[in-house]
Amino acid sequence: MMAKAQITEGIKDFLIQIGELSHFAGRFLREAPKRPFEFNELLRQCYSVGNRSLTLVGITGFIIGLVLTLQTRPTLIEFGAVSWMPNMVGISIVREIGPVVIALICAGRVASGIGAELGSMRVTEQIDAMEVSGTNPFKYLVVTRIAATTLMVPILVILGDVLALFGSYLVEHFKGDVSFQLFFNKIFSSLDFGDLIPATVKSFFFGFAIGLVGCFKGYNCKKGTVGVGMAANTAVVMASMLIFILDFIAVFVSDIFYEL
């Protein structure tokens, strides 16, 4: 009975979280088109999300290309298909591996940072002070951060994809003596708009989910300083889960589109 009660309580808490998150997203959609537009804060948040994640995303993307090629090359050699390496690497990185892995990196780096930042502002009553002074803290703190992650994550994904493909090229160049022009000509010949557009579109949704969850957890932080750590931790977990769910939906819709 106790286990059943715990499961029921867990399901109830999960559904409440989903409802509150949906309400928070609706409030963002209502507030975003309204004036005034905080362009300076938006630019500052874009710099914070993009520039400070640049090194981590670049190194991660480069290593993805190296590892994927090193692990796959022996198998392709065994089947006599090593000439298909650029095609395989290009499609797998651009379609799936690049967007998902880079989004997860941003979830760990950005969502936790936003959750901790807004959470500390909530527990130290800075957000309450902004409300008392007549400003709109949701507009200034939340809308700008969600917009920044929505805009910057796709750019970071593109950067990660490029560096991953370059890392793959280095392996092929030194192990298979493949030229730069030949390697990338084969990659671009294997890709079409049906590969690029869905990957780019879902990157915007990944960025939106990362910013939304980070702001939601931080803005509604409770339980004092302990809640700040909980907000940062749960923001990463929830953002990662949303990324996987959105990726599944994107792949499912893409398959239906290809069948049509």
Side-chain angles (χ1 to χ4, degrees):
M1 292 295 293
M2 185 177 295
K4 183 178 180 180
Q6 290 177 347
I7 293 174
T8 304
E9 190 67 24
I11 295 174
K12 179 181 177 182
D13 291 341
F14 174 76
L15 294 176
I16 291 174
Q17 285 280 310
I18 295 298
E20 291 177 346
L21 183 64
S22 301
H23 182 267
F24 195 81
R27 184 178 177 185
F28 165 79
L29 295 175
R30 291 193 304 270
E31 294 280 354
K34 296 180 181 179
R35 295 178 180 273
F37 302 114
E38 304 288 351
F39 286 113
N40 292 333
E41 179 65 12
L42 175 61
L43 292 176
R44 192 178 74 84
Q45 292 302 322
C46 286
Y47 175 82
S48 178
V49 172
N51 184 68
R52 295 181 181 179
S53 303
L54 208 59
T55 303
L56 180 60
V57 167
I59 294 174
T60 302
F62 184 72
I63 293 175
I64 288 172
L66 291 176
V67 172
L68 180 62
T69 308
L70 287 172
Q71 290 289 332
T72 309
R73 198 168 195 279
T75 304
L76 293 182
I77 291 175
E78 183 178 348
F79 288 96
V82 70
S83 61
W84 289 93
M85 175 64 74
N87 307 64
M88 185 277 298
V89 170
I91 292 174
S92 59
I93 287 177
V94 171
R95 274 189 184 180
E96 192 66 25
I97 297 177
V100 173
V101 173
I102 299 305
L104 291 174
I105 293 296
C106 292
R109 159 68 180 82
V110 177
S112 62
I114 292 175
E117 183 182 12
L118 294 187
S120 62
M121 294 181 70
R122 172 63 74 183
V123 299
T124 56
E125 300 181 350
Q126 296 180 51
I127 295 178
D128 297 332
M130 293 177 68
E131 293 174 345
V132 171
S133 65
T135 59
N136 187 349
F138 192 93
K139 183 79 172 180
Y140 184 80
L141 298 175
V142 174
V143 172
T144 54
R145 282 165 173 78
I146 296 178
T149 56
T150 305
L151 294 173
M152 296 309 298
V153 168
I155 297 175
L156 293 172
V157 167
I158 292 172
L159 173 68
D161 289 350
V162 170
L163 290 175
L165 296 176
F166 182 71
S168 177
Y169 156 72
L170 290 180
V171 174
E172 282 296 286
H173 176 71
F174 289 109
K175 284 187 171 288
D177 196 24
V178 177
S179 68
F180 182 88
Q181 183 176 1
L182 175 62
F183 184 83
F184 282 95
N185 280 344
K186 296 191 74 173
I187 287 179
F188 292 132
S189 65
S190 64
L191 295 172
D192 55 29
F193 286 107
D195 301 314
L196 299 175
I197 293 177
T200 303
V201 171
K202 72 181 180 181
S203 297
F204 282 98
F205 284 98
F206 291 164
F208 178 78
I210 291 169
L212 178 68
V213 172
C215 291
F216 170 71
K217 288 296 183 180
Y219 199 79
N220 297 303
C221 177
K222 299 176 182 178
K223 299 181 181 179
T225 54
V226 177
V228 177
M230 293 176 60
N233 183 46
T234 55
V236 176
V237 175
M238 185 177 286
S240 300
M241 289 298 298
L242 273 179
I243 288 169
F244 287 123
I245 293 171
L246 290 172
D247 184 56
F248 169 75
I249 294 172
V251 172
F252 184 75
V253 173
S254 296
D255 286 343
I256 294 176
F257 178 77
Y258 285 133
E259 290 177 359
L260 295 177

